[in-house]
Amino acid sequence: MTTSFIERLLPDFYRCAEQPGNWQLVLDQVRDELQVGSVVVQKFRVDGNRLQQQWVLRDSHSMEHAESHDCLVNNEENPRLQLDESRLPLQDVAVIQGDQGFGRMRQAEFRALDERLALLGLARPIILGIRYSNDSSLSMLLHPRCDGSQTVDNRHGQFLQQLAPHLKQSVSLYEKLSQLQQTNDTLSQCLDRCNAGVAVLGASGEVRWLNGSAREVLQRSRHLSLANGRLRCADPDDANRLAELVAAAASGESAGERFVGAVGPGWDRPVQLLAVPVLAASGPCVALYLSDDALRSELSPEEVVQLYGLTPAEARLAIALCEGATVNEYAEGRGVAVGTVRIQLKSIFSKLGLNRQPELVRLIGSSITTRTRSFSS
């Protein structure tokens, strides 16, 4: 039974690496097949003379009573979490029953643990212990019910021994994929602060990845959308231009090449596109940057002060000039004399080593703050 069950279990077991939400269903299968009351997988790291739980995976019964379980069992009074002279060194793989591996000095603590487990309707577990790394370990615990209707025996031990290499491998895959997902989420958030959406396309135009800003652009646009994993244009001529743009970038021989275009008429919020080839190990693909008139940042006087060493009044003037105001318009709007504004402008030129207003507009307009979106955007 054990071998055939493991063979049936393994596809779902390894699938949990990329679908972590399935762990509970898989542990429920183990619980029901082995007729125990609870199945839990834990990862611990060594912290001084204790094992500290890093994470836990539970079957549905354990999940339902998770708060009580953590309060009564996963605490400093649990002798299994102590690392001292009473505990034998952990083997690479070991199946442990009762207080096996501990000296007599822990017996009273194990009796107290039994009493707390009984409050949860559970008895002492049989445990699979795996050395995961130099300072961490994995455990799978099979708890029978404490009413005597269930017991653990050699059948359970054989199951745990056979499952051990698969548990270690699946957890390793699960952690690596989780780390990659966390990295992906972090990079996506960073890219979302740029004043452009980013899409990664395959050589044939299929969309492999979009950041949040790209999705915003597509949701706003009447000219470009995402459908069935591909970018779709409302106008056939735009569709041809987009296809040519992507094809040109996909066939580009240098990652430094740039191909630009736009979707939609210039008077109706077009989506501007910049395509560059990406020479990935898996084959050529295209990084497509998308922007519309909504993806822009307001210049902040406080940030201009910090970047260029201007006074707040000078920063406000510099921003107004970058936004198209004239000296006279700015003076009138602020209710100050034109001469005062010209003195401020002369001070700005002196501090920044500039001579002409277009140079100021170009400098401030190309600052890092104009290339990124504020967190309130």
Side-chain angles (χ1 to χ4, degrees):
M1 181 279 297
T2 300
T3 300
S4 62
F5 171 58
I6 287 181
E7 290 174 349
R8 298 196 311 271
L9 179 70
L10 287 183
D12 291 336
F13 203 72
Y14 280 105
R15 202 170 290 122
C16 291
E18 59 178 334
Q19 299 174 359
N22 288 350
W23 275 111
Q24 183 173 307
L25 297 175
V26 169
L27 296 182
D28 280 352
Q29 291 182 51
V30 174
R31 181 198 64 208
D32 296 342
E33 180 71 21
L34 298 183
Q35 298 181 345
V36 293
S38 167
V39 180
V40 174
V41 176
Q42 295 169 296
K43 184 182 179 187
F44 297 97
R45 64 176 175 83
V46 176
D47 184 11
N49 63 349
R50 285 186 54 79
L51 292 176
Q52 292 287 350
Q53 179 178 282
Q54 289 187 277
W55 50 254
V56 59
L57 304 169
R58 295 179 163 105
D59 70 342
S60 57
H61 177 274
S62 303
M63 184 63 70
E64 184 179 351
H65 301 89
E67 185 175 351
S68 298
H69 199 108
D70 289 341
C71 178
L72 293 171
V73 179
N74 290 338
N75 55 43
E76 294 184 357
E77 297 178 4
N78 189 333
R80 297 191 186 283
L81 305 183
Q82 302 294 332
L83 295 175
D84 57 25
E85 66 279 1
S86 70
R87 180 169 185 156
L88 298 178
L90 178 65
Q91 303 173 31
D92 288 342
V93 177
V95 175
I96 305 165
Q97 287 187 268
D99 56 5
Q100 182 182 353
F102 292 83
R104 291 182 175 274
M105 61 184 294
R106 291 290 185 189
Q107 288 184 353
E109 294 177 50
F110 273 98
R111 286 194 295 270
L113 177 61
D114 290 342
E115 293 174 0
R116 296 196 299 274
L117 283 170
L119 296 175
L120 299 168
L122 301 174
R124 283 193 192 186
I126 183 172
I127 303 173
L128 170 64
I130 301 173
R131 186 190 302 277
Y132 190 69
S133 68
N134 289 336
D135 62 351
S136 64
S137 62
L138 290 175
S139 294
M140 174 177 273
L141 293 80
L142 307 180
H143 283 276
R145 297 192 182 280
C146 66
D147 58 8
S149 62
Q150 299 173 337
T151 58
V152 292
D153 51 32
N154 290 338
R155 177 177 62 114
H156 298 84
Q158 291 172 4
F159 167 80
L160 292 175
Q161 286 281 7
Q162 293 180 37
L163 189 66
H166 303 291
L167 177 62
K168 185 174 183 179
Q169 181 67 15
S170 63
V171 166
S172 176
L173 291 171
Y174 162 63
E175 290 194 324
K176 289 176 181 177
L177 289 174
S178 296
Q179 186 175 13
L180 286 173
Q181 184 60 53
Q182 292 171 9
T183 300
N184 178 73
D185 292 344
T186 300
L187 291 174
S188 294
Q189 291 181 45
C190 294
L191 287 172
D192 286 345
R193 297 304 171 190
C194 297
N195 278 338
V198 183
V200 178
L201 310 182
S204 61
E206 74 279 9
V207 176
R208 296 181 179 176
W209 182 84
L210 290 168
N211 75 332
S213 295
R215 295 183 186 278
E216 291 177 17
V217 171
L218 295 175
Q219 289 170 359
R220 283 192 296 265
S221 177
R222 292 190 292 270
H223 314 293
L224 187 64
S225 61
L226 178 67
N228 299 321
R230 304 184 75 87
L231 295 177
R232 305 292 184 185
C233 296
D235 182 82
D237 291 337
D238 283 340
N240 291 334
R241 282 192 291 271
L242 175 61
E244 292 172 358
L245 187 73
V246 172
S251 61
E253 298 180 356
S254 169
E257 293 185 82
R258 294 155 57 99
F259 304 88
V260 298
V263 171
W267 49 266
D268 189 21
R269 301 189 68 177
V271 177
Q272 296 181 350
L273 306 172
L274 168 64
V276 298
V278 177
L279 307 179
S282 59
C285 56
V286 175
L288 184 68
Y289 299 86
L290 307 87
S291 185
D292 60 14
D293 59 4
L295 282 181
R296 59 185 179 186
S297 294
E298 298 293 332
L299 284 165
S300 161
E302 293 79 9
E303 292 175 341
V304 171
V305 167
Q306 293 170 2
L307 286 173
Y308 299 106
L310 304 181
T311 67
E314 292 168 348
R316 288 192 294 270
L317 171 58
I319 291 172
L321 296 177
C322 287
E323 293 175 346
T326 65
V327 169
N328 289 349
E329 289 170 343
Y330 179 77
E332 182 178 353
R334 298 291 298 181
V336 298
V338 172
T340 300
V341 175
R342 293 194 182 282
I343 291 173
Q344 291 175 340
L345 182 57
K346 184 177 180 180
S347 175
I348 293 172
F349 285 168
S350 175
K351 289 180 179 179
L352 301 182
L354 305 175
N355 296 305
R356 300 170 59 245
Q357 194 168 311
E359 295 175 345
L360 173 64
V361 172
R362 184 165 55 251
L363 177 66
I364 302 297
S366 63
S367 69
I368 189 66
T369 59
T370 65
R371 301 173 189 270
T372 54
R373 304 167 69 187
S374 67
F375 282 86
S376 60
S377 297

